[in-house]
Amino acid sequence: MPDNPRLTESTETDLLRSPLLRPAGRNGGEKLCIDDMLRNHCGEFGRWQLRHFILTSMAWSLEAFHTMVVIFADNVPEWRCTAESCFPEAKSVCQLEPGSWEWIGGPGSSTVAEFGLICSEKYKVGLVQALFFAGSMIGAGVFGHLSDSRLGRKGSLLTVCMLNAIFGCLTALSPNYWAYAVLRFLTGFSTGGVGLSAFVLATEPVGPNKRGVVGMSTFYFFAGGIALLSVISYFFQSWRALYVGTSIPSFIFLVAALPLVSESPRWCLIRGKTPRAMKIMRRIAESNGNILPAGVSLALDDDDGDKDPSTSPVNSNGGTTEKEEAAAMITTGSLLDVLASPIMRVRLLLAVAISFFVSVVYYGLSLNVVNLGTDLHLNVFLNAIAEMPAFFLTAILLNPLGRKPLAIGTQILSGAFCVAGGALKSPEGWLKTARMVCGILGIFGMAGTYNLLYIYTVELFPTVVRNAALGCATQAAQLGAILAPVIVVSGDNVPFAVFGFCGIAGGLLAAMLPETSNRPLYDTVAGMEEGERK
């Protein structure tokens, strides 16, 4: 019998079952951070997390649609002669007399054909793509902040997907080039928040030992979206119909999938919504076939469990209201906190620089398929398929090798293949195929890095500033993506040379980052700094 007769047998069993990883709070019971609760009671990756992961990660396919649709919508279509003065062996219609040729498929087959984006107007193709990524850069910062603060992870994902669907459909109605460019910018603004919101929402409820593999798996959905886009574009030959066909899935996701997704318990905890966070954790445990003991409660990683009750706000009756207590518990952070911390400041600068280089290569190689002279639909499909083995191998090697060696190796591997592709001067015949293979292998290496960076960045920063830091790195990635189409339109071997340099430079910078494999996912800045000192 226990010394205290009020200690029931079930309570005693619960206490024996759960190691006291944190001191008891003033209300008694075991206080655990989310990682410990997932590891010891709820399950790190069970049925609940699998369903939540699949539903949330569908948003990545939608992002792929809205980002890569320009490969087909802005493509230069085939043409044919209609007059004797036309010579079919001409390399460009700019060498022909006006009226002596026509677009195969008509002017509605592409924005290039409909808006006349050829010859001296060719730069407008790269401009509209750059505007999209500029919008993404702004959107990543805006929604990164809102995701950490007012909207939350789920609220941000709902907002950006709704805007994507609306702007995507409106793009199909563009009356002229400049309306088209503005709507692509607005689509980019909303798209910038899709990936970071979906990734963090999918991985935060996962335990530390499974988070790396699960995080890498989210990008199968992005690559799958690109592959599916190549199929959709085959059936939607008109660029206007293609924009509608790639926007409707966003509406379906909002109605059918997102209502089944839960908010991140980590965000609920740092925003003072502890009862809501506990409700989600109980749901995770029950769905995974586990039991969350009655005496267990959540705590931030810098909570010592012995806060003085006198510091809590009191109401007119001398007690604390639930609303006041929740407000007092809210833990906030911003990029200013990141810059004020010597540890996080260096990490952010490195993450920003590496994200920039990686994005130049990844988006550059994806858009560069128009310069390879091979079947566009097939090449886009093969590039997307080439990314999937990279995710698989990276996921397998993630824990044995660690984040840092993989980030170094994959970038240098990609850079080396890009250098090899650029060394093939004016390739013809089998050399053209060889350069295409170099591009596919370059995508293979950089796809692994691009996705690994999301996991790496998430683990480098605490919950309170995680999406803000990830948003900042994403902004740098979008800046790189802005330059990618400008590099691509230069044609010939210049793109491969630039991509090779960026890949190798990013690999060297990754050598300066710390290893985060099997380290805790911290909640607060103070908790992270204390943990790093230990």
Side-chain angles (χ1 to χ4, degrees), residues 129-407:
Q129 295 172 4
L131 285 172
F132 173 87
F133 290 118
S136 296
M137 181 177 68
I138 298 172
V142 171
F143 289 106
H145 172 72
L146 292 175
S147 182
D148 277 338
S149 55
R150 295 181 178 275
L151 289 182
R153 280 56 162 140
K154 182 179 177 179
S156 294
L157 186 59
L158 185 150
T159 303
V160 294
C161 286
M162 183 181 299
L163 292 175
N164 260 354
I166 295 172
F167 292 141
C169 288
L170 290 177
T171 302
L173 303 176
S174 302
N176 52 55
Y177 170 80
W178 292 110
Y180 174 68
V182 170
L183 285 167
R184 283 300 292 167
F185 173 82
L186 294 174
T187 305
F189 174 76
S190 54
T191 302
V194 174
L196 63 93
S197 298
F199 184 86
V200 175
L201 185 58
T203 55
E204 281 193 335
V206 179
N209 294 322
K210 306 294 183 181
R211 191 178 302 121
V213 174
V214 172
M216 286 302 301
S217 300
T218 60
F219 301 100
Y220 285 107
F221 291 84
F222 187 83
I226 298 176
L228 184 58
L229 174 63
S230 66
V231 177
I232 294 174
S233 65
Y234 184 81
F235 294 100
F236 292 88
Q237 296 295 320
S238 165
W239 72 269
R240 294 183 185 274
L242 181 59
Y243 269 105
V244 174
T246 53
S247 299
I248 293 299
S250 294
F251 285 113
I252 298 175
F253 175 77
L254 287 170
V255 175
L258 203 53
L260 303 176
V261 172
S262 296
E263 181 56 88
S264 167
R266 296 181 188 274
W267 179 82
C268 293
L269 183 60
I270 65 169
R271 296 297 296 176
K273 304 176 186 292
T274 306
R276 184 180 176 188
M278 282 299 301
K279 184 178 180 180
I280 297 172
M281 298 303 288
R282 290 192 188 95
R283 194 181 304 142
I284 294 174
E286 292 172 3
S287 180
N288 291 344
N290 298 319
I291 298 175
L292 191 61
V296 173
S297 61
L298 282 171
L300 295 171
D301 50 23
D302 65 345
D303 183 6
D304 60 8
D306 294 316
K307 291 182 179 179
D308 185 357
S310 63
T311 62
S312 300
V314 295
N315 59 21
S316 58
N317 296 323
T320 60
T321 65
E322 182 179 350
K323 184 176 181 180
E324 290 170 334
E325 187 173 356
M329 292 174 61
I330 293 177
T331 304
T332 60
S334 67
L335 283 177
L336 294 178
D337 298 300
V338 177
L339 296 175
S341 168
I343 296 175
M344 290 194 295
R345 182 168 59 244
V346 173
R347 292 182 178 185
L348 182 65
L349 292 175
L350 289 172
V352 163
I354 296 170
S355 295
F356 173 80
F357 286 130
V358 168
S359 185
V360 169
V361 181
Y362 178 79
Y363 284 107
L365 288 174
S366 297
L367 298 174
N368 196 51
V369 294
V370 298
N371 289 328
L372 298 181
T374 54
D375 182 81
L376 185 60
H377 292 85
L378 177 61
N379 213 319
V380 170
F381 183 82
L382 290 177
N383 274 3
I385 296 300
E387 294 184 29
M388 295 184 181
F391 305 154
F392 179 73
L393 289 176
T394 308
I396 291 177
L397 299 174
L398 197 60
N399 287 330
L401 294 184
R403 280 60 162 158
K404 183 175 179 176
L406 276 180

Side-chain angles (χ1 to χ4, degrees), residues 144 148 335 338 348 351-352 457 461-462 465-474:
D148 277 338
L335 283 177
V338 177
L348 182 65
V352 163
T457 306
F461 300 94
V465 294
R466 182 168 297 125
N467 262 33
L470 185 58
C472 193
T474 303

